[in-house]
Amino acid sequence: MDRRIEEVKHHYDADPEGEWERLESHPFEFILTTWMMERYIRPGDSILDIGGGPGRYSVHFAKRGCAVTLAELSPGNVELARRKAAEAGVELTAHAVNCLELDGLDLGRFDHVFLMGPLYHLLEEADRVRAVEIALEHLKPGGKLYASFILLFAGLLYDLQNGGHIVSDCANPAAARLIDAVAAGQDYGGPAFTAAYFYHQRNILPFMERFDVKKLHLFGQEGILAPNYRDILSRDREEQDQWIALAKQYLELPELLAYSEHAMYIGERPEAGEPEIRRGLRRLRGKTFAEGGVVIRELRDDDDLWYVTAECALGPGQEAFVNPAGFSIGRAYLDPGSGVPCVICLEDGTRIGYIIFREWLAAGAAFNWSYYLDRRWQGRGCGERAARLAVRILREADPTAPIKLSAEADNTRARRLYEKIGFELLDETDGDDLVFCLRPQC
């Protein structure tokens, strides 16, 4: 077992009761989180709780009539979860297992999958991606995923709640890296209460957009109550209830996410009827592809957006053949599943062009792209290399889908390029444009 995973396992094995009591002493997280989850979870539903600790949520939903399976890293937590379930008089199936090693259990698919712990502790992005993929593999079509993240500002919230720490934390290199990451908009992964990964709130959706799941909610699990939770708990019941009601009202406001220590993403696995092209495009979210000295990656920030909409200049006469980047980016914004806007770069990060992967809008299901290079980089072979990389990207997204491109009849440069990389001219048109197709591989 990886040393850092072993560290996390020992951390939770050391005090399972303490982890159970954490939600008792921080009740607002549990109250607000179950309030959101119970919009979708009904008696009789099946639930897989991956990394669910000592089973606080597992037991709660088992008491509500759900068939719950807990898959938890810590044997101590699993033992406590079984005992709590027995005390509550409910059935609970529980396994002590690494979240990345569920395949051997043959668990099947569930109506709901909780991923409320693993993303706190997997420091490598590939492991976090795989954890979400495994969760989705165990989710029925139309089922709901509930994924929790530790928010980056949680470290500072702790120091706000508990005096005597901020001076030493600012002098501690690891804590100082976390504090600096807040202003930089970056995540932090490394030593904390144990090996832990803290997400900047603005990085959660880009992470989740790469998966085949439709966003339903993103909310702070403590709402606005975390900074002052102890004082609120000391007040009378009527005032507490009023604060809880206000927290529910503000729960999904993105500008208030940093008031919480944890955030939850609730998403829905698409029904089988969702177009395969859109599912393929979703697989491109958040990824970076490189080949032949050219890199294609999704737009990340304002600098990327400014480059493709304002700085990337077309060559003479090319405006007649290419829609402005802002148009296709706007269309992808209005219909998020329809396109993935990307920047084309060199290996050193120099931006040289723009490409958007999207669904073919004319008859027949197919992938499509539209792209152009900055005129300063034209005539150097970069356009062909970008086009070949684009083919590889869409083949990885779905090798069974055709790729269709259109070009004006007098755009000889585009026609030559498409035919050179394997596209054939079809006996059909897209308005006045010619249509070229690269047949599926299988």
Side-chain angles (χ1 to χ4, degrees):
M1 182 181 292
D2 180 274
R3 175 185 59 80
R4 290 174 297 192
I5 298 298
E6 190 69 36
E7 176 188 340
V8 173
K9 176 175 172 290
H10 286 317
H11 172 81
Y12 288 107
D13 274 341
D15 189 16
E17 288 282 358
E19 180 61 16
W20 181 275
E21 291 300 323
R22 184 184 70 82
L23 286 174
E24 296 288 345
S25 60
H26 296 69
F28 301 129
E29 175 189 342
F30 188 77
I31 290 168
L32 296 172
T33 301
T34 53
W35 177 71
M36 289 292 290
M37 299 170 85
E38 286 165 9
R39 296 185 182 190
Y40 302 103
I41 301 173
R42 298 289 181 264
D45 286 354
S46 59
I47 297 171
L48 174 61
D49 187 359
I50 304 173
R56 188 73 173 80
Y57 287 90
S58 288
V59 172
H60 171 79
F61 284 105
K63 289 165 68 174
R64 292 177 64 85
C66 297
V68 184
T69 297
L70 172 67
E72 159 62 26
L73 176 67
S74 161
N77 276 343
V78 169
E79 181 181 349
L80 179 58
R82 288 171 176 157
R83 189 167 81 244
K84 292 291 187 180
E87 292 171 0
V90 296
E91 291 187 8
L92 175 67
T93 301
H95 304 274
V97 61
N98 187 327
C99 69
L100 301 178
E101 299 172 353
L102 297 188
D103 292 345
L105 297 180
D106 194 23
L107 296 173
R109 290 186 173 183
F110 297 78
D111 298 308
H112 309 274
V113 175
F114 302 170
L115 196 65
M116 300 167 63
L119 300 180
Y120 299 173
H121 300 297
L122 295 170
L123 301 191
E124 300 298 327
E125 181 172 15
D127 289 337
R128 296 193 299 278
V129 168
R130 184 61 189 140
V132 177
E133 289 174 342
I134 289 172
L136 293 173
E137 288 167 5
H138 288 84
L139 191 61
K140 296 177 182 178
K144 308 300 186 292
L145 172 71
Y146 308 78
S148 289
F149 303 79
I150 303 179
L151 289 172
L152 183 64
F153 204 67
L156 286 170
L157 284 177
Y158 180 85
D159 287 357
L160 282 170
Q161 298 159 353
N162 302 275
H165 294 282
I166 189 62
V167 174
S168 60
D169 278 350
C170 286
N172 178 305
R177 281 202 297 122
L178 185 152
I179 292 168
D180 291 343
V182 174
Q186 299 170 344
D187 302 336
Y188 166 83
F193 58 98
T194 184
Y197 196 87
F198 295 74
Y199 268 86
H200 194 289
Q201 63 266 23
R202 75 184 187 193
N203 296 335
I204 293 173
L205 289 181
F207 173 75
M208 292 302 301
E209 284 172 350
R210 74 187 67 190
F211 302 106
D212 192 14
V213 61
K214 175 185 176 182
K215 173 185 172 284
L216 299 176
H217 308 279
L218 176 65
F219 66 95
Q221 291 181 246
E222 294 84 3
I224 58 172
L225 307 181
N228 209 31
Y229 79 96
R230 287 197 186 97
D231 183 50
I232 295 172
L233 286 173
S234 71
R235 302 176 191 178
D236 62 49
R237 185 72 257 174
E238 182 180 12
E239 185 168 350
Q240 287 186 42
D241 288 344
Q242 186 61 63
W243 276 114
I244 291 170
L246 286 172
K248 290 177 178 178
Q249 182 179 345
Y250 301 153
L251 209 54
E252 296 186 70
L253 294 178
E255 60 268 32
L256 299 182
L257 273 177
Y259 278 77
S260 286
E261 296 168 349
H262 305 84
M264 175 174 279
Y265 174 101
I266 302 179
E268 181 179 66
R269 182 178 176 186
E271 296 282 359
E274 185 189 36
E276 287 295 330
I277 296 300
R278 292 204 171 202
R279 299 183 71 173
L281 290 171
R282 201 189 304 271
R283 298 183 189 109
L284 306 182
R285 293 286 184 185
K287 295 184 178 179
T288 298
F289 302 87
E291 183 176 285
V294 173
V295 176
I296 294 178
R297 59 170 174 78
E298 190 172 12
L299 299 186
R300 292 175 179 167
D301 52 32
D302 290 347
D303 290 340
D304 285 344
L305 186 60
W306 179 255
Y307 172 77
V308 301
T309 57
E311 291 184 358
C312 186
L314 295 172
Q318 290 182 317
E319 292 86 353
F321 301 131
V322 181
N323 283 325
F327 176 78
S328 58
I329 293 171
R331 176 182 281 169
Y333 172 80
L334 293 172
D335 187 4
S338 66
V340 183
C342 299
V343 63
I344 306 171
C345 304
L346 300 180
E347 288 179 330
D348 65 1
T350 301
R351 301 175 182 89
I352 64 170
Y354 167 73
I355 184 168
I356 181 167
F357 298 103
R358 58 195 181 191
E359 58 184 340
W360 178 248
L361 296 179
F367 288 124
N368 171 249
W369 79 65
S370 174
Y371 87 128
Y372 54 83
L373 289 188
D374 191 310
R375 65 187 176 197
R376 292 164 289 185
W377 292 93
Q378 294 177 14
R380 306 189 192 189
C382 297
E384 180 179 338
R385 281 180 281 156
R388 292 187 184 278
L389 178 54
V391 169
R392 196 200 92 194
I393 290 169
L394 293 179
R395 287 300 190 222
E396 290 184 16
D398 185 353
T400 69
I403 304 170
K404 287 188 174 183
L405 306 175
S406 61
E408 288 83 349
D410 55 350
N411 189 349
T412 55
R413 180 182 295 183
R415 293 181 61 177
R416 285 197 301 267
L417 174 61
Y418 298 161
E419 291 171 347
K420 184 176 181 180
I421 63 175
F423 284 78
E424 61 179 292
L425 179 63
L426 298 183
D427 187 21
E428 64 180 75
T429 59
D430 178 19
D432 294 329
D433 294 348
L434 305 176
V435 176
F436 298 80
C437 181
L438 190 64
R439 305 289 184 183
Q441 292 179 320
C442 55

